[in-house]
Amino acid sequence: MMLHPSCGPVRPSLFAASTPHARYVDGLRKAGLDKTALGLAWQEASALAFADSIVIAPPFSETIYFPAERPLALGYRLSPLRGERVTLTVSGADTARTEIFVDVFELRDGEDEMRALVSAHEGSVLEWVVEKDRSYVVRVQPELLRSARLTINIRTGASLGFPVEGSDSGHIRSFFGNVRDQGRRKHEGVDVFAPRGTPVVAVTKGWASAAQNKLGGKVVWLRNEGRTYYYAHLDSQYVDGLRMVSVGDTLGTVGNTGNAKHTPPHLHFGIYSQGEGAIDPYPYLHTSEQAAPALKADTTLMALSARVGNREVALRAAPNAKAPVILHVPKEHALSLLAASADWFRVRYKGISGYVHGSRISDTRKALRNVELPAGNAIHDGPAADAPIKLMLEGITAADVLSNDGTFLYVRIDAVEGWVLQ
């Protein structure tokens, strides 16, 4: 997977010229396919992915089925913390034989348009570090006329090395913003508790220098690209003068010098941004061990037409039972299955996307009932009177009812399936 830097401001309906997705659109234009019905549908799906994006919280995993005959793009909206590294993995056998476009857009404060951040067009790993607290939209879309089944995983983790050797964020016992000195000041870092003499190491490359002060005791400053990393309460310092260090180089050892002399040995670690001051180090250091829920839904249903079971079901904003309810879908109504996460399906119902629990969904291979349709009825390609006609009935015809949308029935006559006005 190749990463492509952003190329100026981009509205959701426009595309940065540097991205593989945009170059593909340009290729459609040069081939005269961009104005065809299929080419237009593919571009409309690209734009719809922004408005139709689902809000997620990492770790998140979803398996998607893209049908060749129906252009589809899916969007995911997330708001990771400043300092986190977002890792997005796209996997599946179809990524080797189908071109898959993955684009990440960021929404900046005070702007109504999104900017292309990074892009890729093959199944692999895509990463970025969150520099500000912003929202991002990930769009996933395959090339035209190719079916594809793939899994997208999105997780967050530390963007820096950990400053105490052999420790992790579980050893942090005091956090950024905690009150100090009876409320006279706030904690401008995190405290990592470890035995005296434990090595403290560089979290990034940069220029290191040692000093001593009243609050921090023996300290080391590490500076790199407008950021300063502060190590305090050291028992010993391994830095003389000013020297360049690499990630993992030892800077000193854990102690309790300075105003920490009455506390157990620990490292006070702070991050200062030029022109801004202290910022919370925790997201820069924390990687969760939590994994996305395992896939349990029957993904074979995604290649079939589907319906709600024998009672109405809640369409929810996220794949869990506590997520807000968007609306209720009546029993037997048709659903378009887009993806599966844990034991939930991401569906589209009358143009609205959300999640329905897998236990509440049935496929339409088994008919609900049988009806007789009078002569002159039209079987349409979609649930609309102006949808293309697949079949005109010349006489009274028996049909299996598979689902409905409240106005039209979805029926099967011999090997033909389509929609007829109720």
Side-chain angles (χ1 to χ4, degrees):
M1 174 177 283
M2 298 178 64
L3 301 187
H4 299 262
S6 61
C7 185
V10 192
R11 293 188 181 278
S13 58
L14 302 178
F15 308 93
S18 66
T19 67
H21 187 287
R23 291 195 292 273
Y24 185 77
V25 173
D26 190 53
L28 294 179
R29 180 186 60 79
K30 290 178 179 177
L33 298 175
D34 62 319
K35 300 301 183 185
T36 64
L38 199 58
L40 288 171
W42 192 87
Q43 294 173 83
E44 288 169 1
S46 298
L48 180 61
F50 292 95
D52 205 29
S53 57
I54 295 291
V55 176
I56 66 162
F60 179 85
S61 179
E62 188 159 85
T63 297
I64 313 166
Y65 175 70
F66 293 98
E69 69 278 4
R70 178 168 54 90
L72 175 66
L74 293 187
Y76 304 89
R77 187 177 295 263
L78 63 155
S79 299
L81 299 175
R82 179 183 186 177
E84 290 183 323
R85 181 185 301 277
V86 184
T87 302
L88 187 156
T89 306
V90 179
S91 60
D94 292 328
T95 60
R97 53 181 174 262
T98 301
E99 198 164 15
I100 307 293
F101 303 101
V102 184
D103 298 281
V104 179
F105 296 82
E106 64 175 347
L107 181 60
R108 298 189 176 185
D109 295 339
E111 296 185 4
D112 294 328
E113 56 190 21
M114 287 182 282
R115 296 173 182 259
L117 183 67
V118 289
S119 301
H121 63 102
E122 297 173 358
S124 189
V125 178
L126 185 156
E127 293 186 331
W128 74 96
V129 175
V130 180
E131 298 295 344
K132 296 287 184 181
D133 290 328
R134 292 182 176 136
S135 293
Y136 298 84
V137 173
V138 176
R139 181 186 61 202
V140 184
Q141 185 175 27
E143 62 180 313
L144 267 173
L145 297 173
R146 296 297 296 270
S147 295
R149 175 190 162 114
L150 57 86
T151 297
I152 181 170
N153 284 281
I154 303 176
R155 65 182 188 275
T156 56
S159 61
L160 295 174
F162 201 78
V164 178
E165 189 174 277
S167 299
D168 57 30
S169 57
H171 295 85
I172 295 175
R173 296 289 183 266
S174 181
F175 297 88
F176 184 82
N178 287 357
V179 173
R180 290 288 189 271
D181 296 337
Q182 290 77 48
R184 290 193 295 272
R185 64 182 180 91
K186 290 185 176 180
H187 197 211
E188 292 189 346
V190 295
D191 291 341
V192 184
F193 286 80
R196 185 185 306 278
T198 303
V200 300
V201 298
V203 296
T204 184
K205 67 178 181 180
W207 292 97
S209 60
Q212 190 158 342
N213 62 55
K214 184 177 180 181
L215 285 178
K218 296 178 180 180
V219 304
V220 168
W221 300 90
L222 175 60
R223 296 175 173 85
N224 180 28
E225 297 182 351
R227 293 258 171 84
T228 299
Y229 305 92
Y230 178 56
Y231 298 73
H233 309 315
L234 303 181
D235 190 60
S236 58
Q237 299 152 304
Y238 289 4
V239 177
D240 292 323
L242 181 67
R243 70 179 176 96
M244 173 62 74
V245 297
S246 299
V247 177
D249 286 353
T250 302
L251 306 179
T253 59
V254 171
N256 62 344
T257 56
N259 70 347
K261 61 184 178 181
H262 298 300
T263 67
H266 66 274
L267 171 71
H268 170 90
F269 179 77
I271 303 177
Y272 296 84
S273 181
Q274 186 174 351
E276 185 178 0
I279 56 178
D280 187 359
Y282 188 79
Y284 290 81
L285 305 176
H286 175 66
T287 296
S288 174
E289 297 300 321
Q290 182 182 359
L295 179 64
K296 297 179 181 178
D298 181 5
T299 56
T300 60
L301 297 179
M302 294 192 295
L304 305 171
S305 56
R307 65 182 179 232
V308 176
N310 59 6
R311 56 193 175 98
E312 73 170 20
V313 66
L315 182 69
R316 296 187 179 272
N320 67 76
K322 296 182 179 179
V325 175
I326 301 171
L327 53 82
H328 287 87
V329 184
K331 68 178 184 178
E332 301 181 357
H333 273 217
L335 297 171
S336 177
L337 303 188
L338 307 177
S341 179
D343 45 8
W344 294 74
F345 282 102
R346 183 174 177 178
V347 308
R348 186 169 289 147
Y349 173 71
K350 294 189 175 182
I352 299 173
S353 291
Y355 287 90
V356 171
H357 195 271
S359 64
R360 307 297 304 280
I361 291 176
S362 302
D363 67 77
T364 59
R365 286 174 292 187
K366 183 178 180 180
L368 292 166
R369 54 189 171 275
N370 185 266
V371 297
E372 289 189 339
L373 301 175
N377 258 341
I379 306 301
H380 294 270
D381 192 44
D386 59 352
I389 295 175
K390 300 176 72 172
L391 179 68
M392 288 296 299
L393 304 185
E394 297 180 355
I396 297 175
T397 305
D400 293 326
V401 177
L402 307 180
S403 64
N404 73 86
D405 77 339
T407 304
F408 284 78
L409 296 176
Y410 186 60
V411 299
R412 179 173 56 222
I413 301 172
D414 296 327
V416 177
E417 295 185 3
W419 296 87
V420 62
L421 188 64
Q422 291 199 61

